[in-house]
Each structure stands twice: as C-alpha cells, then as structure tokens.
Amino acid sequence: MDKFRMIFQFFQSNQESFMNGICGIMALASTQMYSAFDFNCPCLPHYNMAYGLGILLVPPFILFLLGFVLNNNISMLAEEWRRPHGQRGKDPAVLRYMFCSMAQRAMIAPAVWVSVTLLDGKCITCAFCTSVPVEALGNASHPLLSQGEIQRVLARIPCKEIYNGQELIANEVAVRYLRCISQALGWCFVLLMTTLAFLVRSLRPCFSQAAFLKSRYWSHYIDIERKLFDETCAEHARSFAKVCIQQFFEGMSTDLVAAHCHRPRKVSADMGEASKKLLGITDQGTMNMALKSWHRCKPPLHIHPPALPSGNGWTGEGQPPVHPSAPRRETAAYYSSV
C-alpha cells in the first residue's frame, strides 16, 4: 500500500505527472479492451475490409479524442486562445507547446492499440483475405470456380469453421501469410514510433532549448494562475456565503427578540474574518464585473512598478539613473598630549 500511495502522490505532484499517469492507465486499458473484444469477421467480400480497417482505425481515433477530453489543459488552451488580448498579449509559442504536449500524451493509447492490433493480425487477415496471391500460394487454375466465387471463398478465410476452399488454397497457409505481413507492419510501426519519440526527446534540446524552456515555464504559469484564481474565487464565495448566512440569522434573531423578547445570541467572531476576505466585493454585480474584467483584460506579467524619473530630469535614455548620494558621515578625532 505504501508503494501505491507513493505512486499516487507522484501523479498528483504536478499537472504533467498527473497526465502521464492518465495516459499510462489509458494505454493499459486499450490493451485490456482489445483482449476482451470479441473479434468476429463477417467473412463477406464487401464487408471484410470495412470491418477490419474499422477495428484497426476507429478505436484509436476514439482513444485520441478521449485523451484530449481527460486532459484538463484542453479547456485552459481554448480559454487562452479565445480570450481578448486585454493588458496581456498571447504568445503563440506557448499555445503550440500546450497543444503539442496534449497531442503527444493523447497519442500513447492509440499507438498501443494499433501496435497490439497489428501484432495480433486478426484485422489484417479479415481486411485483406481476398487479396491473397492464389497463384503463388494455392491452385489458381481451379476449373469449377469463377472470379466472383473465388472472392467469396477467399472472404471466408478468417472463418475457419465455414471455410470450404481447401482445394483452392489451404486455410492455414493463407492465415499464416497474412499474419506474417501484419506482424511485420506492427513491428515497423513500433520501431517508427520509438524512433520518432527518441528524435523528439534528444534533438529538440539541441535546437530550441531556450524557446522550449520559455514556453514550458509560461505554460506552467498559466496552469498555476488558473488554479490560484479558482481557489481565490472559491474562498471569496465561501466568505460571501458565510456573511450572507450570518446576516440572515441575525435578522431572524432580531425579529424573534422583537416578538418574544428573547436575548439575542452573540455574533460569531468568524463573521469579521469573513468580511475581511471579501476585499470590498460585497454584491453580485461587482463580483460579475470582476470576473469579466479578469477574462477581458488580465493584468500584465509585470509585478514591479516602473522606475520613476529622478530629480535631475533623467528619462532613462543613454545614462543610468542617478541615485541620491548617501549622507556623509563626519568623524571627530581627539588628541591629547601627555
């Protein structure tokens, strides 16, 4: 349990670790889904290819979209892309970094699905069974079958229990031929994905490390800023609700005192602290205005006030500002003759 707790804490440490954990879970889930999937080829000439290629390509597309849906940064990316410029400009490099980061993580589960499917070989066998070279592997000069009948017989290759074309081509030969091609494609796909990942990881720092660090930093900043803003809004909402509830019960107690002459209860000391957290925003319209202002014109990323001109009229061009000299310290020495 301690190991699982440590792994869970690592996944919760930051946004990237959390998304890496989600993508790993989705990759494992894709393999389990394929192993639990009951593959049934229709064994018909006009439907085999659609079914086989559909099983090969449609689930990866769904897993790719699901990877974007489970990524929390997709809403942040859309918000940052669509928001007005306001007092803060939008950096296209940061938006590209965020999109590429999400796309790379979302591609893990589809890549695992395609690799497992190709290495298993059922989809390729179902999709391309009618393209088996009968001239090289079987008896192409069968006198009793037309071209259409040959296609119908070859379409039954994945269905061993209903295959009746052993005189044309042996079922084991055709299945082994197609499965070897599928496995070769699967290993090539795995090698291609591994090579691309290696090149991206190893060559990117050699060309644009400074730009990469800048984009990564501001991407993390946008994520942290959004979390802190949500936490601040939640804290303000809690304080606002506490003050509203306290005022409601105070009004009720005042009415009870006037009606039944009961002694009013003491007001809780938390109400004063809650009022301080409101920061002067004490009505719905002001809060809505603050939220709209945050969306339309976010504050610039500059937390230091600009340098003020000094008394000698310096404007910041050419010469540095002249700071006022420190007060001169005077010392006195006393001599005595003995």
Side-chain angles (χ1 to χ4, degrees), residues 124-255:
I124 297 298
T125 302
C126 180
F128 298 100
C129 58
T130 56
S131 301
V132 174
V134 182
E135 297 82 1
L137 301 178
N139 184 14
S141 59
H142 198 282
L144 301 178
L145 297 177
S146 62
Q147 188 65 27
E149 293 175 344
I150 291 177
Q151 293 294 318
R152 284 192 294 270
V153 170
L154 294 178
R156 298 175 182 176
I157 289 177
C159 307
K160 188 176 181 179
E161 62 277 2
I162 63 173
Y163 182 68
N164 57 354
Q166 293 292 340
E167 298 179 357
L168 181 65
I169 183 174
N171 182 271
E172 294 80 6
V173 174
V175 170
R176 181 168 296 184
Y177 172 78
L178 294 172
R179 183 166 294 178
C180 290
I181 294 177
S182 179
Q183 290 178 353
L185 293 175
W187 285 116
C188 291
F189 180 78
V190 172
L191 179 61
L192 177 63
M193 291 293 102
T194 306
T195 305
L196 288 177
F198 171 75
L199 292 177
V200 169
R201 288 288 185 177
S202 59
L203 296 182
R204 182 172 56 184
C206 299
F207 296 97
S208 58
Q209 181 65 10
F212 171 73
L213 290 176
K214 183 191 71 171
S215 303
R216 184 177 181 180
Y217 175 85
W218 290 117
S219 174
H220 285 281
Y221 173 82
I222 293 173
D223 183 30
I224 295 173
E225 184 187 50
R226 184 185 184 187
K227 290 180 180 178
L228 290 177
F229 185 77
D230 292 340
E231 292 174 2
T232 305
C233 290
E235 184 178 0
H236 185 277
R238 181 180 179 86
S239 302
F240 191 82
K242 183 181 292 185
V243 173
C244 288
I245 293 172
Q246 291 284 354
Q247 290 180 355
F248 170 76
F249 280 100
E250 284 181 1
M252 291 295 296
S253 63
T254 304
D255 295 340

